[in-house]
């Protein structure tokens, strides 16, 4: 097959090329076109770690309720992801004005007794994946401003339930109650949950804070004096108890000594009585065996006493004798 161009005859297809070569060329071209059309009309989309996605058909302007997590997903031509965070997000009310990257102005409210109060707080929330489609239907992707306004409303309203002194004295309990109220609100209407809450700073009028500090110092002084008074009382009570213990010990020792002396006296008296009884029985035996008269018994006892005296001497058969006993003489 030939065609003349600008007076020249050029060969377009030669019979020598053969139909096989033509078929191979056509197949390659068709495959390339098919691949290009596949990626044009049937594209893949990806989600990063920490992202959820909903399939949005921007041709039909519809959103599918299927939840997609991180990775590559085939959606098709005319589809794209509507992305939401799958990790914890922070909202902080601590700035002086304006908002940027989750930071907003401090909350201003009033206490139950009418004083101005400012609150510096932050909290962390997590979107519930099973309610992501409902979140889109209610707020689409513009949910953050709604979350912020909701938190402002509930926190400032809750602050009106407490007195100025309550904010000073019971800060931890107030923070717990604020977290519970905010968590319930987010769970029921914001399709999310509040995992953490921090009540960072509380601002009260300076005059009130000065008065509170003075009252706290006075309270601490009173408490210190009370503790000192209790310490003195304890020391006095301790001394009284110690004196009572010492007195009881003295009494016990005196009773023990008296008991010991009584036992000893009784033992001595018993021993003396036993000795007298034994001697009486012995003398009765002597009187009976020797046939002594009372005078004879007295003479016997007298003689016995002289025998027991180491300086006494006996002269037998000499009446009214006088003995001159000098040293060395007998």
């Amino acid at each position: 097959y030939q065609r003349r161009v600008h007076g020249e005859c050029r060969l377009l297809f030669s019979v020598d090329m053969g139909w096989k070569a033509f078929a191979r060329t056509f197949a390659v071209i068709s495959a390339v076109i098919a691949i290009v059309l596949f990626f044009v009309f049937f594209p893949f989309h990806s989600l990063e770690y920490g992202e959820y996605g909903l399939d949005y058909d921007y041709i039909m302007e519809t959103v599918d309720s299927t939840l997609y997590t991180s990775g590559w997903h085939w959606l098709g031509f005319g589809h794209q992801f509507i992305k939401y965070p799958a990790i914890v997000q922070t909202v902080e009310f601590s700035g002086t004005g304006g908002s940027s990257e989750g930071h907003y102005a401090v909350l201003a409210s009033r206490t139950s007794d009418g004083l101005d109060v400012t609150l510096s707080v932050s909290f962390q929330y997590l979107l519930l994946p099973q309610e992501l489609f409902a979140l889109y239907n209610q707020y689409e992707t513009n949910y953050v401003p709604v979350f912020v306004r909701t938190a402002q409303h509930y926190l400032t309203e809750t602050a009106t339930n407490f007195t100025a002194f309550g904010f000073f004295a019971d800060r931890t309990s107030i923070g717990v109650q604020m977290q519970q109220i905010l968590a319930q609100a987010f769970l029921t209407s914001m399709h999310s949950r509040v995992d953490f809450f921090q009540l960072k700073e509380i601002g009260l009028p300076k005059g009130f804070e000065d008065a509170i500090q003075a009252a706290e110092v006075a309270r601490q002084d009173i408490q210190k004096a009370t503790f000192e008074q209790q310490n003195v009382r304890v020391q006095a009570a301790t001394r009284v108890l110690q004196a009572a213990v010492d007195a009881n010990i003295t009494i016990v020792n005196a009773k023990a000594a008296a008991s010991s002396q009584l036992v000893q006296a009784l033992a001595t008296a018993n021993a003396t009585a036993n000795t007298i009884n034994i001697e009486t029985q012995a003398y009765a035996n002597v009187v009976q065996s020797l046939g002594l008269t009372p005078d004879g018994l007295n003479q016997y006892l007298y003689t016995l006493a002289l025998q027991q005296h180491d300086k006494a001497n006996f002269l037998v058969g000499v009446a009214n004798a006088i003995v001159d006993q000098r040293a060395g003489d007998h």
Side-chain angles (χ1 to χ4, degrees):
Y1 176 69
Q2 295 179 344
R3 187 177 71 178
R4 184 174 296 277
V5 180
H6 300 296
E8 297 180 358
C9 182
R10 294 182 178 179
L11 180 64
L12 295 180
F13 293 101
S14 172
V15 176
D16 294 335
M17 293 175 61
W19 288 102
K20 291 183 178 181
F22 173 77
R24 285 196 298 270
T25 303
F26 181 78
V28 171
I29 295 174
S30 298
V32 172
I33 294 174
I35 292 173
V36 172
L37 291 176
F38 178 81
F39 280 100
V40 170
F41 291 99
F42 306 98
F44 283 85
H45 295 272
S46 67
L47 290 171
E48 299 293 335
Y49 172 79
E51 288 184 332
Y52 292 132
L54 295 176
D55 180 9
Y56 174 65
D57 184 349
Y58 56 81
I59 297 177
M60 301 301 295
E61 295 185 349
T62 58
V63 176
D64 187 73
S65 61
T66 302
L67 178 69
Y68 293 86
T69 57
S70 59
W72 285 92
H73 303 276
W74 178 77
L75 298 181
F77 177 73
H79 290 252
Q80 65 182 20
F81 277 125
I82 297 176
K83 298 179 180 181
Y84 292 91
I87 58 178
V88 169
Q89 302 296 300
T90 298
V91 174
E92 183 171 353
F93 299 98
S94 61
T96 57
S99 61
S100 61
E101 298 294 333
H103 293 266
Y104 304 90
V106 295
L107 301 175
S109 183
R110 283 186 176 274
T111 63
S112 61
D113 44 5
L115 293 179
D116 293 331
V117 61
T118 58
L119 304 174
S120 177
V121 303
S122 62
F123 65 92
Q124 290 72 40
Y125 68 89
L126 183 67
L127 299 179
L128 299 176
Q130 68 274 18
E131 297 187 24
L132 207 59
F133 184 64
L135 177 68
Y136 173 81
N137 287 331
Q138 191 169 359
Y139 306 114
E140 295 187 354
T141 58
N142 194 35
Y143 60 92
V144 174
V146 180
F147 283 16
V148 172
R149 290 193 296 270
T150 300
Q152 289 172 331
H153 168 71
Y154 280 100
L155 293 176
T156 55
E157 186 178 69
T158 304
T160 62
N161 297 329
F162 306 101
T163 64
F165 184 78
F167 276 107
F168 181 83
D170 200 14
R171 172 175 179 165
T172 301
S173 176
I174 292 175
V176 171
Q177 294 184 51
M178 285 185 169
Q179 179 178 0
Q180 292 174 346
I181 293 173
L182 189 64
Q184 183 63 29
F186 270 58
L187 192 63
T188 56
S189 59
M190 298 292 107
H191 309 287
S192 60
R193 70 170 190 260
V194 174
D195 288 338
F196 307 100
F197 180 88
Q198 302 84 36
L199 179 56
K200 296 182 175 181
E201 294 182 6
I202 300 172
L204 293 166
K206 188 177 184 306
F208 177 80
E209 291 185 349
D210 293 342
I212 286 295
Q213 290 178 0
E216 179 65 15
V217 171
R219 187 188 67 82
Q220 291 179 1
D221 290 341
I222 293 173
Q223 189 176 33
K224 181 180 178 180
T226 302
F227 287 157
E228 291 177 351
Q229 185 181 34
Q230 291 176 351
N231 185 40
V232 171
R233 289 178 178 175
V234 169
Q235 291 178 356
T238 301
R239 288 195 294 269
V240 170
L241 291 176
Q242 184 62 45
V245 170
D246 293 341
N248 288 333
I249 292 175
T250 302
I251 293 172
V252 169
N253 290 337
K255 288 182 177 180
S259 297
S260 176
Q261 293 175 359
L262 177 60
V263 169
Q264 186 176 0
L266 290 174
T268 302
N270 290 332
T272 302
N274 291 333
T275 300
I276 293 172
N277 290 333
I278 292 172
E279 290 180 348
T280 302
Q281 185 63 40
Y283 294 151
N285 292 334
V286 169
V287 169
Q288 182 177 2
S289 60
L290 297 179
L292 297 177
T293 64
D295 290 337
L297 176 61
N298 289 333
Q299 187 64 35
Y300 171 81
L301 292 176
Y302 174 74
T303 304
L304 184 62
L306 290 177
Q307 288 179 347
Q308 292 176 353
H309 198 282
D310 56 353
K311 299 295 184 179
N313 291 307
F314 290 92
L315 293 176
V316 178
V318 179
N320 299 322
I322 298 175
V323 178
D324 183 10
Q325 183 176 359
R326 300 180 181 179
D329 295 334
H330 295 279

